[in-house]
Amino acid sequence: MSSISPLFEEFSSSKNILNLIETELCDGILQLTQNSDWEEKSNISLKNLLGFPIGKNYPGFFNLVQPSDLTAFLDAVGKISSERGGKINFILRAKHANGKRLHLQLIGQRLKADSTDLLFFIKDQTAKIEQEDFTFQCNLASKIGYWNIDLETQKPYWSRVTRLIHEVPDDFQPDLETAIDFYKDGHSKELIQRVIKNALEKGEPYDVELILLTYNKKEKWVRAIGLPEFADGKCIRLYGTFQDIHQRKINRLKLQAEQAKFKNAIEGTNLGTWEWNVQTGEAVFNERWAEITGYTLAELAPISIETWTKLAHPEDLEVSSKKLQDCFEKKTDFYECEARMKHKDGHWVWVYDRGKVFSWTEEGKPLMMFGTHQDITETKNEIEQQAIFIQQAPTSIAMFDKEMNYLSASSKWIRDYGLTGKKIIGNSFFKTFPKSNQNWQEIFEDSLKGNSRKKDEEKLVYENGEIQWIKWECKPWYNKQGNIGGALIYTQDITKVKETAEQLKISMSAFQRNFENAGIGMAIVSTEGKWKNVNDRLCEMIGYSREELLKLTFQDITHPEDLNADLELLYETIRGERQTYQIEKRYFHKNGEEIHALLSVSAVRDTEDKLLYFISQIIDITDLKHAQAQIEKLLQTSEDQNERLKNFAHIVSHNLRSHSGGMVQLLEFLEIESPEYFQNELVKLLKQASDNLKETIEHLTQIVNVNLQSSYPKKALNLYDVVEKALQSLQMASQKSSVKLINEVDPALKVMAIPAYLDSIVLNFLTNGIKYQDPEKDSFVKVKTINHSENIEIQFEDNGLGIDLERYSNSLFGMYKTFHKHDDSRGVGLYITKNQIEAMGGKIEVESKVTVGTIFKVFLNKN
C-alpha cells in the first residue's frame, strides 16, 4: 500500500476506498509514472499474485509480461498519455514465479489531466480464460458451437467452433441471408426457413437435423438448436447451438439400414443358445446365435466348437479358455465371459457368453455344457462412449468393470500415477498398484452393492519404492438398464500437501532447536518491542534471567545514543519498506557495563502480509571492538614508522648520491690537473672505491625508487610492442654476441603494468640471456606468452649456461648474489626486477638447468 498511497491521496481522501478496491474488487495495483521512460511500481498484493512475496527478489512487472503483450500495452498507454485522457482495459499474459502463465486484466486511466501518473487495478482472469479455453476445447471435441442473431442489426454471431463447422475463412462475416444459404436446397433449406419463421413469430424453439453445404461445398449433417428471446411480445434475439453430427448421422443411417436388413432375422428370441459336448467338440447353436454375427446356421455349417473359435477374437479367446478351465476344475460354478465375435461384414460384435457344465463323465471330467450368447454391443459402445468422456476429463478418474479391470482412465490419472506408455486397459487395478491397501478389494465389492466410499488420505507404495498420498472416492456406475456395471474411482494427488506439512513440521522443530541451542543471542520480539521469547545465550550476554528479560522491552536496555537509529529501521520494517535490517548497537548489561552487539532483525508476516513479530539475532562484538581499538593504535604506529623509513629512503636516494657524485667529480678534476698523482697505488684504490660507492648508491636508489613508485598508475600495454622495442635496442649487442633474439608474443595481448617497469623487466631478462650465453652453442633468447584466465604468463627462455637451482634457489633474487664468473655481474638486476614485478601485483618463477638453459616466468595481471 505504501508504494501506491502518494498517488492515491490525490485521487481520494480516504485510504479505506483503496483498501476496499484492493481486497474486494481487484487482485493488485500498478502505478506508472512517465519520465524519460515509463517507471512502474507494484503493490504487495500484485507481487504476491506473481509469486514474489516480501523477501524474494522481484524483477519488476514489465520483466514478467510477455514481450508482445507489453509492446501493445505500452502503445495503448502512450496513446492515452498523448491524448491526456481515456481509459485502458487490457489483458496481459505474465509469468508467475513458478513458471505458470497468468492472464491479468488491467483497468486504468490518468487520474488528472495534468499528471503523468496512471493507476491500474489488476484482476486475475486466469481461471476465467482457462475455463473459456477449456470450454472451447470441450466444444471442439464434441463439435458443438453456439450462435446468436441480434434482430435489430440482423447480424448473426458465430462462435469459433460454429465457424469451423461451416469451414469459413477467418475474415468471413455472415448475415442472416448467407447463414440460411449454407443449407442444402430442398428439405434442409425449407425446414430451417420454416423453424426460424416459427421461432420469430410464434416463439417456438427448434431442434432439427439438417444437411449443410460448407464454404468448401462439402455436405455435412448438423444439428441446429434455436431458442427465441422475447420482450414486450416481440422477438429481440434468437440464439442456440450448432453441432457437427455428420459421422454419427452416417453411422446411425448405416445402423438403421443394417437393422432393417436383418429385422426379420433377429425377431424372436434375444438370446443365442449353444450346447457343447466338451469331450467330442460337437456343438449345437440356434439361429439367433448365428444371427448375432450376421450369418445363418446354413452359412456356418458344418457346426462345431471350431465355429466359435474361428469367430472369436484371439485375445478374448485366451481369456475365455482360462475361465472355462476354472469352471472345469470347479473353481467357479458358472462360466462368464465378455468376448468379441467377427461379424459377417467384418466388424466386431460383443457378446455376453454365459454357461454351466450340467453333466460330467465318470472320471469327473466335464461332458456337456449349455449356455447363451447375448448381444451386448450397444452396451459396450455405451461404455466406450463413457470411456472416451473419462479419457478427456480434466480430473483424475478411472472406470473399472465388475472384476476391477480398467475400462478407461483420464489423462490426468495416467500422469498422476506414472502410467504413461503402459497398457492398463483390461488389466486389474491390483496389477497397477500391487502394494495397494488390500482393503480395496472390500471397497470395490461394496461399490458393486451400490455403496460409495471415500477417504481424505491414502498411502500408495509403488514397485520402485516411491510413495504417493491421495484423496479418493469410489462409487458404482450404472448402464442404461439401471444395472451396476462396475466402479468409478476419483482421486486427487495430495503428496505435495503432505510433504509440505511434514517439511513445515520439521522446519518448526529445527527452528526451535536452533533457537534454543544457538551460539548467538536469539529472541522473538513483539511489534511493540517486548521480548516474547529469548534463548539462554542472550540471557548470558545481557546478564538478565529469562523471567526478568521477558518483563522488559528492548528499548529498556538499549543505549540512548543508539536507540533512534534502531527504531528508525524498525519502523521502516513495520511499514513494509524493508524485510530485514542489521545494525551495530550498544546494550546495557544488568551490571551497567556497555555491551557492543551486531543486531540482525527479520520480520515475520502471515499469508495476508500482516506483521506478526520480529526474529532478532544478537552477536556480542564487545571483544572485537576492543581489539579494533588496539589495531588502530598499532596501525597509527606503523604509519609513523613507515614515514620515517620514507624519509631515510629520500636521504639515501638524494643526499648520499649528491655527496658521492661530488667525490667522484673532485677525483676527476684532480686527475685532469695532476695526472701524476694517479700513478700512486693508493690514489688508484681511492678512485676505485669512489666508483664502487657511486655504483652502490645508484643500485640502492633504483631499489628505493621501486618501492616509492609502486603506487604509480598502471596502463594497458601491448606486450608485443614492448618486446619488439627492446629487441631493436639490443640488435647490435645481439649481432656482436651471435645470440638470436626471438619475439613469439601474441600481438593482441595486453597487460596492466607501469610502462618504465615493464621496459626495464624485458630489457633486463634479454640482456641477461645475451650476457650468460653458452659460447659452445648457437645461442638464442626467446620471449613467448601464455594467456591464462586471470593473468598473462611471459616466458623468457634461453639456452645459456643455466643456474644450479639446488644450490642457489633460496638466494636467486637476493641483492648482490651472482651465480657466474662474469665481469659485469653485480647481483642487482634480478633483485630489482623481482621488486618491480611484485610492485605491479605480479610474481616471478624460474626453471633452470646447468648447461641446458633457463626459463624465467613472469605473471602480470590482465585487468
Side-chain angles (χ1 to χ4, degrees):
M1 292 296 296
S2 60
S3 63
I4 300 299
S5 57
L7 174 61
F8 177 68
E9 287 170 359
E10 298 181 5
F11 173 68
S12 172
S13 61
S14 173
K15 294 185 179 180
N16 292 330
I17 296 177
L18 186 58
N19 289 332
L20 175 63
I21 293 174
E22 182 179 358
T23 58
E24 300 297 331
L25 303 180
C26 74
D27 300 308
I29 299 177
L30 176 70
Q31 175 186 337
L32 296 185
T33 302
Q34 187 177 24
N35 293 317
S36 58
D37 203 347
W38 286 107
E39 296 179 0
E40 55 162 282
K41 283 187 178 180
S42 305
N43 74 337
I44 293 173
S45 297
L46 179 54
K47 293 177 182 178
N48 288 336
L49 176 63
L50 293 166
F52 294 90
I54 293 176
K56 186 170 183 179
N57 188 26
Y58 180 56
F61 181 78
F62 285 171
N63 290 325
L64 297 172
V65 175
Q66 185 160 311
S68 59
D69 290 2
L70 181 61
T71 300
F73 173 71
L74 292 179
D75 288 343
V77 169
K79 184 176 180 181
I80 71 164
S81 176
S82 61
E83 295 175 357
R84 296 291 180 178
K87 296 181 179 179
I88 288 184
N89 189 332
F90 219 89
I91 297 290
L92 292 179
R93 290 168 290 180
K95 187 176 182 180
H96 191 275
N98 63 14
K100 180 182 178 182
R101 185 171 68 180
L102 302 178
H103 298 266
L104 305 180
Q105 181 181 20
L106 280 73
I107 301 175
Q109 68 178 49
R110 185 183 301 283
L111 298 180
K112 284 187 175 182
D114 57 348
S115 172
T116 61
D117 292 332
L118 294 94
L119 191 66
F120 292 88
F121 297 100
I122 297 176
K123 192 72 175 177
D124 184 2
Q125 299 289 4
T126 305
K128 177 182 177 182
I129 291 176
E130 287 180 349
Q131 180 61 40
E132 291 174 351
D133 185 62
F134 172 75
T135 301
F136 168 71
Q137 294 297 332
C138 290
N139 289 339
L140 185 61
S142 60
K143 299 181 180 180
I144 298 176
Y146 57 90
W147 56 272
N148 69 68
I149 302 174
D150 186 343
L151 296 177
E152 292 183 1
T153 64
Q154 294 289 304
K155 293 291 185 182
Y157 166 77
W158 289 353
S159 71
R160 292 166 62 188
V161 177
T162 301
R163 298 177 68 88
L164 289 173
I165 294 173
H166 282 80
E167 298 179 347
V168 296
D170 293 339
D171 59 351
F172 181 83
Q173 295 297 329
D175 55 36
L176 186 57
E177 184 177 352
T178 57
I180 293 176
D181 284 340
F182 274 91
Y183 292 94
K184 186 176 181 180
D185 290 336
H187 173 74
S188 293
K189 183 173 289 187
E190 292 170 0
L191 179 56
I192 192 65
Q193 289 173 335
R194 183 170 66 253
V195 295
I196 289 178
K197 181 180 179 182
N198 291 339
L200 297 177
E201 296 177 358
K202 302 177 183 179
E204 295 178 359
Y206 61 85
D207 184 347
V208 292
E209 294 181 356
L210 308 162
I211 297 178
L212 185 79
L213 283 175
T214 70
Y215 188 86
N216 296 321
K217 304 304 180 185
K218 296 179 182 177
E219 284 194 5
K220 184 181 293 185
W221 277 96
V222 295
R223 180 184 180 187
I225 298 176
L227 298 170
E229 181 178 338
F230 275 71
D232 299 327
K234 181 181 177 182
C235 186
I236 60 172
R237 187 167 73 102
L238 188 62
Y239 64 96
T241 61
F242 199 78
Q243 182 178 11
D244 179 355
I245 60 169
H246 185 75
Q247 192 58 49
R248 188 178 72 186
K249 184 70 174 182
I250 295 300
N251 291 340
R252 191 193 311 163
L253 292 174
K254 287 182 179 179
L255 180 59
Q256 290 173 355
E258 290 295 329
Q259 289 174 341
K261 180 179 178 181
F262 297 104
K263 182 178 180 181
N264 294 327
I266 62 174
E267 287 180 353
T269 180
N270 288 323
L271 294 177
T273 61
W274 53 269
E275 188 175 338
W276 176 29
N277 186 320
V278 180
Q279 299 304 314
T280 65
E282 295 175 293
V284 177
F285 303 129
N286 71 348
E287 196 67 41
R288 175 59 181 152
W289 190 98
E291 290 173 356
I292 291 175
T293 57
Y295 293 96
T296 65
L297 286 176
E299 290 175 316
L300 295 175
I303 301 296
S304 70
I305 193 59
E306 291 184 359
T307 307
W308 152 255
T309 57
K310 289 178 180 179
L311 293 176
H313 193 289
E315 293 179 2
D316 300 336
L317 193 60
E318 183 178 346
V319 176
S320 172
S321 299
K322 183 179 183 302
K323 292 188 174 185
L324 281 170
Q325 191 60 39
D326 290 342
C327 190
F328 295 161
E329 295 175 1
K330 299 184 180 180
K331 294 179 181 178
T332 59
D333 293 332
F334 290 91
Y335 155 75
E336 294 178 295
C337 182
E338 291 182 356
R340 288 161 288 182
M341 296 183 67
K342 194 67 169 289
H343 194 275
K344 181 180 179 180
D345 290 342
H347 63 273
W348 296 97
V349 293
W350 281 93
V351 295
Y352 175 55
D353 191 9
R354 192 172 191 272
K356 179 178 177 63
V357 178
F358 63 87
S359 66
W360 303 81
T361 66
E362 293 181 358
E363 293 82 13
K365 295 180 180 181
L367 180 59
M368 296 299 298
M369 281 193 77
F370 178 82
T372 60
H373 271 188
Q374 180 183 0
D375 187 350
I376 61 169
T377 305
E378 185 177 353
T379 302
K380 294 296 288 187
N381 288 339
E382 177 192 343
I383 293 173
E384 288 178 3
Q385 290 175 1
Q386 293 176 351
I388 292 172
F389 171 79
I390 288 173
Q391 290 170 9
Q392 299 174 349
T395 56
S396 186
I397 180 174
M399 182 180 186
F400 300 89
D401 62 18
K402 291 183 177 181
E403 296 180 358
M404 212 169 182
N405 296 320
Y406 277 96
L407 294 176
S408 182
S410 67
S411 56
K412 191 173 190 314
W413 177 286
I414 300 295
R415 292 194 305 271
D416 284 353
Y417 302 113
L419 302 174
T420 302
K422 297 182 179 179
K423 182 182 180 300
I424 62 170
I425 304 303
N427 289 338
S428 168
F429 171 87
F430 295 105
K431 183 176 181 181
T432 308
F433 304 110
K435 294 187 179 181
S436 61
N437 191 323
Q438 293 304 310
N439 290 335
W440 272 101
Q441 184 65 50
E442 177 189 341
I443 294 167
F444 179 71
E445 291 175 356
D446 199 26
S447 69
L448 296 183
K449 297 176 183 177
N451 300 317
S452 296
R453 295 268 199 103
K454 64 180 180 179
K455 194 171 185 180
D456 291 335
E457 289 184 0
E458 177 77 32
K459 183 178 181 181
L460 298 180
V461 182
Y462 294 91
E463 291 180 341
N464 60 5
E466 183 181 351
I467 295 175
Q468 186 177 29
W469 288 89
I470 63 170
K471 177 181 180 181
W472 59 263
E473 182 177 2
C474 181
K475 59 174 58 178
W477 61 267
Y478 298 84
N479 57 28
K480 283 185 177 180
Q481 291 74 34
N483 299 320
I484 294 175
L488 290 172
I489 299 179
Y490 305 83
T491 67
Q492 180 182 349
D493 188 346
I494 59 170
T495 305
K496 289 185 178 179
V497 176
K498 289 286 291 184
E499 289 176 350
T500 301
E502 188 65 24
Q503 289 171 0
L504 179 61
K505 181 179 178 181
I506 294 172
S507 178
M508 291 299 294
S509 176
F511 173 78
Q512 186 63 30
R513 291 197 301 271
N514 291 335
F515 182 88
E516 294 172 354
N517 302 313
I520 62 174
M522 292 192 70
I524 296 177
V525 182
S526 72
T527 55
E528 294 80 22
K530 292 185 177 180
W531 307 96
K532 297 182 68 175
N533 195 6
V534 294
N535 69 349
D536 293 341
R537 177 67 185 107
L538 181 60
C539 295
E540 177 186 339
M541 185 189 309
I542 305 299
Y544 291 92
S545 67
R546 185 185 302 270
E547 292 72 19
E548 290 173 331
L549 201 53
L550 294 180
K551 295 177 181 178
L552 301 174
T553 66
F554 75 86
Q555 294 96 322
D556 294 333
I557 60 173
T558 297
H559 195 291
E561 295 178 4
D562 298 339
L563 183 58
N564 287 338
D566 191 358
L567 289 175
E568 182 177 348
L569 292 171
L570 184 69
Y571 293 148
E572 290 178 5
T573 307
I574 292 174
R575 293 193 298 267
E577 297 172 8
R578 59 170 65 239
Q579 180 66 13
T580 63
Y581 70 87
Q582 189 176 85
I583 187 175
E584 284 189 17
K585 61 178 290 188
R586 289 165 290 176
Y587 291 99
F588 285 119
H589 194 277
K590 186 177 180 180
N591 61 15
E593 295 180 0
E594 289 184 5
I595 303 296
H596 291 266
L598 181 63
L599 169 67
S600 298
V601 177
S602 300
V604 178
R605 301 176 184 272
D606 63 16
T607 55
E608 297 180 355
D609 205 40
K610 179 182 177 182
L611 183 62
L612 300 177
Y613 52 83
F614 301 97
I615 296 178
S616 298
Q617 300 181 66
I618 305 167
I619 302 175
D620 187 350
I621 58 171
T622 305
D623 292 342
L624 178 62
K625 282 292 186 180
H626 293 161
Q628 285 178 340
Q630 293 297 323
I631 291 172
E632 288 175 0
K633 291 180 181 179
L634 292 173
L635 286 174
Q636 185 61 46
T637 302
S638 298
E639 288 179 2
D640 293 341
Q641 292 175 346
N642 285 339
E643 193 60 35
R644 295 190 187 99
L645 288 174
K646 279 187 178 181
N647 292 335
F648 176 76
H650 282 295
I651 293 172
V652 171
S653 62
H654 183 268
N655 297 359
L656 290 182
R657 186 164 64 173
S658 298
H659 294 315
S660 67
M663 186 183 298
V664 170
Q665 287 180 352
L666 289 174
L667 287 173
E668 288 176 350
F669 290 150
L670 182 62
E671 186 175 11
I672 294 172
E673 294 294 329
S674 305
E676 65 276 10
Y677 286 157
F678 288 83
Q679 301 301 317
N680 187 295
E681 195 65 30
L682 290 175
V683 175
K684 289 181 180 180
L685 291 173
L686 178 62
K687 185 176 185 305
Q688 181 64 42
S690 174
D691 291 340
N692 290 342
L693 176 61
K694 178 183 178 184
E695 182 180 17
T696 298
I697 291 174
E698 287 293 335
H699 291 160
L700 290 173
T701 300
Q702 291 183 46
I703 294 168
V704 169
N705 285 337
V706 169
N707 291 290
L708 291 178
Q709 298 174 7
S710 63
S711 60
Y712 281 13
K714 295 192 283 292
K715 298 180 179 178
L717 302 175
N718 186 287
L719 186 58
Y720 179 87
D721 293 343
V722 173
V723 173
E724 196 64 24
K725 177 182 175 183
L727 295 183
Q728 291 175 1
S729 66
L730 293 174
Q731 186 174 4
M732 294 300 295
S734 169
Q735 293 176 353
K736 183 177 179 180
S737 303
S738 299
V739 176
K740 186 177 181 181
L741 301 181
I742 305 168
N743 184 0
E744 293 185 355
V745 174
D746 184 349
L749 287 183
K750 290 188 177 183
V751 294
M752 296 299 296
I754 300 172
Y757 285 6
L758 187 59
D759 290 341
S760 173
I761 292 166
V762 172
L763 193 62
N764 189 39
F765 281 123
L766 292 174
T767 304
N768 280 352
I770 295 172
K771 184 186 299 184
Y772 300 111
Q773 71 179 99
D774 189 336
E776 297 181 1
K777 299 178 184 176
D778 292 333
S779 300
F780 70 86
V781 181
K782 182 191 301 182
V783 187
K784 60 183 180 180
T785 53
I786 300 176
N787 189 354
H788 298 293
S789 60
E790 298 294 332
N791 53 40
I792 302 295
E793 178 183 344
I794 313 169
Q795 294 188 359
F796 298 89
E797 180 183 356
D798 65 58
N799 62 343
L801 298 175
I803 303 170
D804 187 351
L805 293 181
E806 291 185 3
R807 182 177 180 184
Y808 297 116
S809 61
N810 293 331
S811 59
L812 183 61
F813 296 102
M815 192 170 180
Y816 299 123
K817 302 296 182 180
T818 59
F819 317 106
H820 299 288
K821 294 180 180 180
H822 196 284
D823 294 340
D824 294 336
S825 297
R826 296 290 186 273
V828 178
L830 285 179
Y831 178 81
I832 294 175
T833 299
K834 182 175 183 293
N835 276 264
Q836 289 173 331
I837 293 169
E838 291 177 347
M840 295 188 294
K843 67 176 181 178
I844 184 171
E845 297 176 357
V846 62
E847 295 178 2
S848 187
K849 190 173 183 180
V850 177
T851 72
V852 175
T854 303
I855 301 176
F856 286 98
K857 300 178 180 179
V858 177
F859 298 86
L860 295 179
N861 294 328
K862 289 181 180 181
N863 302 309

